Amino acid sequence: MKESEKRMDTKKLNRITWKRARPIILSLGILLILIGIFTGFNSTNNWHKDQNFIHSQEARNDYKSYVKDQLKIEEGINKKYEKTNDYQNALDYGYNNGTQSIMFNPKTGKFSINYATFESYFGYIHKKLFYHHKLTDLIYSNYMSISTNIYRGLSLLSFIFLIMGFFISFLDYKTNFILLLFSSGYNRKEILKSNIRTSLIPLTFIAITAFIVNMVIIYSRIPHQYVNYPLDKIIFYQFCLLLVAICYYFLGLFSGIILGQGITGVLSLIGFVFGVELTKQNILDLFNNILPNKNDGSYYQSFFVRFDTYSHWLILDVFVIFIAFLLYFSSLYFYKRLSLEERGNYLLFPKFRLSISLVAGLFTAYSICGNIGLSSNSDNLLIRYNILPGILVFTITFCLFMVLNNYKNIYEKFGVIILKHNN
């Protein structure tokens, strides 16, 4: 085939797969952009309301009332101490009345309350958008739409890419569209590459557009000097999130290829995503135990937050890209061997059912009962709270997968037993 004919042939295949993917891409893409617009305007409107309030007389009056109450409690603590000469009783009186920080001066014999400043009383610093120059505050500020976590470290962006990858492969098989593709004369590798081109590339551009729209709204409505995080790091972090989302796309694509049932397939994918996030947290806990000096006590849900530097982010990006390529080539391997005769089965590849069940059992056991030995120095507690629960979870998961993979045979055997019993 000539090069020009090959290009024409590829364009024709791309038109076919694009027509199939377009409704899903447009739906998810519009959702992303709308979320970016809504988050941008909503967050900046709230910021302006906060600015107006903190400069108002109402805020000053609220703070004066708060200080007055604290001084009244302070006076009550000192009276209680003078009356009973009981140090602990005086402290308890203050704590029971809602005071957090009480100090005692042994020279004067007086208690004093360390009450909040005007800025900290209202929960924010009115000259800055975030508390500190940290990625954690950026994520939890809810200003960046696609940075939003919907479960632990799983971002909204990754979730949408996961859905796209799963639907683009799973629906083709379930709706018999794959029969048209396989009978069209194209080889399976080209079909899968075309599916990826016409779904991943457009969705990636839409995600970038949503981020740009979100950032333009924020920086046009809030003065730059009030944003307590550098713009170049914000952009690079969004790039890192995009790479992670692409990795989740290939995870969804791979799952859609090997899973053949709707309800159990979706539930398995959800369970796997939960397991991935739990495993990530287990690994983060492991780092916190190995590198305790670098842990400030915060609960990290992302490696990018735990290692908030450009060099660490680059290392993490290389690892994410490696996982994405591994998932891509795994998807390609199974897609080439996809059998239409296994329709209706839980896993569409009989030769891999045992191995996948074993991996699923081990993965689930570690994600739920991970970090063996980190939480206890006692062998008995280690066995009771880590090893035994891990074995139990592995056994249940493995048996569940084996039942799902062999439910037809189990059903037929039970049918034969019941038939013999009735006769």
Side-chain angles (χ1 to χ4, degrees):
M1 183 182 293
K2 295 181 180 179
E3 186 66 27
S4 59
E5 293 178 350
K6 186 177 180 180
R7 284 199 299 269
M8 290 294 293
D9 212 36
T10 302
K11 288 181 180 180
K12 183 179 179 182
L13 177 60
N14 288 341
R15 283 196 296 269
I16 295 172
T17 54
W18 165 246
K19 185 177 180 180
R20 176 69 171 173
R22 184 171 54 193
I24 305 174
I25 293 171
L26 292 179
S27 300
L28 295 176
I30 291 172
L31 177 64
L32 260 180
I33 293 177
L34 289 177
I35 291 173
I37 294 172
F38 173 80
T39 304
F41 279 107
N42 184 63
S43 57
T44 52
N45 284 339
N46 290 335
W47 185 84
H48 282 288
K49 288 178 183 178
D50 289 341
Q51 296 300 295
N52 294 334
F53 174 76
I54 205 166
H55 290 96
S56 68
Q57 188 59 43
E58 181 183 357
R60 296 290 172 184
N61 292 338
D62 285 353
Y63 183 70
K64 288 178 182 178
S65 177
Y66 159 75
V67 172
K68 185 178 179 180
D69 291 339
Q70 294 300 303
L71 293 175
K72 186 177 180 180
I73 296 171
E74 182 181 293
E75 183 182 354
I77 295 172
N78 284 309
K79 285 183 177 180
K80 179 74 68 174
Y81 183 66
E82 291 172 3
K83 183 177 179 181
T84 63
N85 201 30
D86 188 334
Y87 178 85
Q88 188 60 48
N89 189 33
L91 283 178
D92 291 341
Y93 173 84
Y95 293 139
N96 291 336
N97 281 276
T99 299
Q100 300 298 321
S101 180
I102 305 173
M103 303 176 67
F104 179 74
N105 189 337
K107 293 182 180 180
T108 61
K110 296 287 186 180
F111 287 89
S112 62
I113 294 176
N114 186 20
Y115 48 83
T117 62
F118 179 80
E119 289 84 0
S120 59
Y121 173 69
F122 286 107
Y124 59 92
I125 301 173
H126 66 284
K127 290 186 177 180
K128 295 293 182 181
L129 197 59
F130 315 119
Y131 282 110
H132 305 293
H133 191 92
K134 290 183 178 181
L135 182 61
T136 312
D137 299 290
L138 175 68
I139 294 174
Y140 290 104
S141 65
N142 294 322
Y143 281 79
M144 311 300 166
S145 59
I146 62 174
S147 303
T148 305
N149 290 337
I150 59 174
Y151 173 72
R152 292 181 176 266
L154 179 67
S155 69
L156 172 68
L157 187 67
S158 294
F159 180 66
I160 288 178
F161 272 66
L162 178 75
I163 292 174
M164 184 73 243
F166 181 76
F167 278 176
I168 207 68
S169 54
F170 183 78
L171 291 182
D172 281 357
Y173 189 87
K174 292 296 290 184
T175 58
N176 292 324
F177 184 71
I178 204 167
L179 291 174
L180 172 65
L181 295 175
F182 285 178
S183 61
S184 61
Y186 297 99
N187 65 65
R188 296 192 179 191
K189 181 179 179 180
E190 286 301 318
I191 293 173
L192 184 63
K193 288 170 66 176
S194 179
N195 272 327
I196 294 172
R197 279 196 298 267
T198 55
S199 59
L200 179 59
I201 294 176
L203 190 60
T204 300
F205 277 109
I206 292 173
I208 294 172
T209 303
F211 165 67
I212 293 173
V213 168
N214 186 222
M215 293 303 300
V216 167
I217 293 172
I218 291 172
Y219 274 84
S220 64
R221 305 192 74 216
I222 297 178
H224 178 268
Q225 65 271 21
Y226 289 164
V227 182
N228 192 26
Y229 202 78
L231 178 60
D232 56 332
K233 285 200 74 174
I234 292 176
I235 293 173
F236 191 46
Y237 176 63
Q238 302 303 318
F239 170 74
C240 295
L241 277 186
L242 185 59
L243 287 181
V244 173
I246 291 172
C247 189
Y248 270 101
Y249 167 89
F250 284 112
L251 173 61
L253 185 76
F254 175 74
S255 302
I257 291 172
I258 67 171
L259 297 172
Q261 295 178 356
I263 296 176
T264 54
V266 171
L267 290 176
S268 298
L269 182 60
I270 293 172
F272 185 75
V273 171
F274 273 79
V276 167
E277 295 305 322
L278 289 173
T279 300
K280 283 165 55 179
Q281 188 57 50
N282 289 343
I283 297 173
L284 284 169
D285 291 342
L286 180 64
F287 275 114
N288 290 339
N289 279 271
I290 296 173
L291 305 170
N293 295 332
K294 292 189 176 183
N295 181 17
D296 62 4
S298 301
Y299 179 71
Y300 298 114
Q301 296 179 340
S302 168
F303 285 99
F304 294 101
V305 176
R306 180 67 175 82
F307 306 101
D308 189 1
T309 64
Y310 281 109
S311 58
H312 286 139
W313 286 3
L314 285 173
I315 294 172
L316 290 169
D317 286 342
V318 170
F319 178 75
V320 169
I321 292 171
F322 170 76
I323 296 297
F325 270 102
L326 185 64
L327 288 169
Y328 165 72
F329 286 112
S330 298
S331 300
L332 185 60
Y333 175 86
F334 282 100
Y335 195 75
K336 288 180 178 179
R337 292 158 179 78
L338 187 62
S339 172
L340 302 178
E341 297 176 358
E342 295 295 325
R343 184 176 301 276
N345 287 319
Y346 173 65
L347 289 175
L348 301 177
F349 301 89
K351 293 181 180 179
F352 295 93
R353 284 171 185 163
L354 177 60
S355 57
I356 291 176
S357 299
L358 286 170
V359 172
L362 292 171
F363 171 77
T364 306
Y366 177 72
S367 63
I368 296 177
C369 311
N371 291 335
I372 294 178
L374 291 180
S375 59
S376 173
N377 294 322
S378 170
D379 292 338
N380 290 332
L381 293 177
L382 174 68
I383 294 172
R384 180 184 298 178
Y385 295 113
N386 295 105
I387 296 177
L388 290 179
I391 294 173
L392 179 62
V393 170
F394 168 79
T395 304
I396 293 174
T397 305
F398 178 75
C399 291
L400 179 62
F401 267 72
M402 292 305 294
V403 169
L404 288 173
N405 287 324
N406 298 280
Y407 80 97
K408 288 184 178 179
N409 293 332
I410 295 173
Y411 180 77
E412 289 176 0
K413 288 181 180 179
F414 269 106
V416 171
I417 293 172
I418 293 172
L419 185 63
K420 287 182 178 179
H421 178 73
N422 291 335
N423 291 336

